[in-house]
Amino acid sequence: MSPIELNKRQDMILQIVKDNGPITGEQIADRLNLTRATLRPDLAILTMAGFLDARPRVGYFYAGKKNSVSITESMMNLKVSDFQSSPVIVSENMSVYEAILHMFSEDVGTLFVGDKHECLQGVLSRKDLLRTSIGSQDLNKIPVHIIMTRMPNIAYCTNEESLIKAANKLIEREIDSLPVVKETEYGPKIVGRLTKTSITRAFISLAETSEL
Ligand code: ADP
C-alpha cells in the first residue's frame, strides 16, 4: 500500500467539499475559477482514493477515508472519461488538402472520419496525410475516404472503459490515438479522443497523488 499524498489543488477541492458538500463538480470548478474538464482528473482520483463520494444528481460529499488505496488500485480505477479530449471529426468527402489544413488549425495529430450522424467511418493520421502528399497527385482531388484506415479495422474505446485497457490498445496496435465511441442506433458515434497525451496526463496525476 502506498499512502496517498494530495496536491495543492486536490487539497483545495477537499476543503470546498468538506465545507459545502454535497456540491456538484460544476460548482467546485466555479469556486476555483477552473473548468469542470480541468478538475475531472482530480475529482476522479479523490473519489477512487475514498476521500470523496459522488452521487448522481446530488454531487460530491466528503467521505473521510484516508490512505487506503494503493497506486496500483488507483491506476486500475482510472476511466477513459476522466482523461479523454474532444474529437475532431471530418467528412469522408473532404479533400486530403483540406484535411491537412484542418489538422493544423485544430492542432491534433489524428482526425476521425464520421458520417452525418458522426458515426465512426475512418481514421487519418499525420503519416497517412504525409504519405499521400509525397506523390505528385492533386491533393484537392483526393477525398480522404481513399486513404483513411476504415472500419471495421479501427481500434476504439468507450467512456466507461478503464484507461489501462485503452492504453493497452494504443501499445498493441502501435497507434497514437483511439476514438471514444458511444453505441447508437446508427452505429458507434464518436464522442471523444484518447491519445498518448491523455495517458501521460493520467500518469502525472497519479504521481501528484501518490507517494512512491
Ligand atoms: P502516424 O501514422 O502519424 O505514425 P499512428 O501511429 O496513429 O500515426 O497511425 C499509424 C496507422 O494506423 C495509420 O495508417 C492510421 O490510419 C492507423 N490508425 C491510427 N489510429 C488508429 C486506430 N485507432 N485504429 C486503427 N488504425 C489506426
Side-chain angles (χ1 to χ4, degrees):
M1 292 281 214
S2 307
I4 297 267
E5 195 170 80
L6 301 181
N7 69 26
K8 212 166 168 190
R9 192 159 69 201
Q10 289 161 352
D11 266 336
M12 284 160 75
I13 295 172
L14 211 52
Q15 199 55 51
I16 290 173
V17 179
K18 268 187 200 169
D19 295 343
N20 306 282
I23 179 169
T24 66
E26 202 70 53
Q27 290 164 332
I28 300 171
D30 276 352
R31 281 169 186 263
L32 292 170
N33 257 331
L34 295 166
T35 65
R36 172 81 178 83
T38 313
L39 283 194
R40 197 163 288 137
D42 289 322
L43 288 170
I45 282 170
L46 287 170
T47 307
M48 80 200 168
F51 289 105
L52 299 184
D53 239 328
R55 286 215 193 109
R57 288 178 296 280
V58 177
Y60 293 91
F61 54 94
Y62 184 61
K65 205 166 105 221
K66 280 185 189 151
N67 297 349
S68 58
V69 178
S70 71
I71 187 166
T72 317
E73 202 176 326
S74 304
M75 204 160 67
M76 298 311 286
N77 284 325
L78 297 178
K79 294 271 180 287
V80 165
S81 56
D82 296 317
F83 294 92
Q84 65 171 329
S85 42
S86 302
V88 178
I89 305 171
V90 302
S91 108
E92 62 170 357
N93 293 319
M94 179 180 269
S95 70
V96 170
Y97 184 82
E98 264 183 282
I100 293 171
L101 295 184
H102 222 69
M103 191 174 263
F104 274 97
S105 64
E106 298 288 334
D107 196 16
V108 289
T110 312
L111 299 172
F112 300 140
V113 182
D115 65 14
K116 64 177 181 194
H117 301 293
E118 300 195 324
C119 288
L120 183 59
Q121 293 177 305
V123 170
L124 293 161
S125 74
R126 282 182 272 232
K127 273 188 232 139
D128 291 334
L129 297 173
L130 202 53
R131 194 182 303 114
T132 315
S133 315
I134 293 172
S136 54
Q137 319 151 72
D138 184 352
L139 300 181
N140 280 300
K141 295 210 175 98
I142 310 169
V144 293
H145 69 79
I146 306 280
I147 66 153
M148 70 190 186
T149 300
R150 58 179 58 247
M151 285 294 266
N153 301 321
I154 300 178
Y156 55 84
C157 62
T158 63
N159 256 315
E160 309 77 43
E161 207 165 305
S162 81
L163 203 62
I164 286 293
K165 190 170 168 198
N168 260 312
K169 290 180 189 171
L170 290 177
I171 294 298
E172 274 169 19
R173 303 282 292 255
E174 299 183 3
I175 48 179
D176 291 344
S177 77
L178 294 174
V180 183
V181 305
K182 185 179 168 197
E183 279 306 330
T184 68
E185 55 182 314
Y186 304 108
K189 182 177 155 73
I190 308 161
V191 294
R193 179 169 62 98
L194 192 89
T195 66
K196 288 179 173 173
T197 306
S198 321
I199 308 293
T200 309
R201 213 179 301 123
F203 182 70
I204 291 172
S205 308
L206 283 173
E208 282 177 346
T209 332
S210 307
E211 212 177 56
L212 293 169

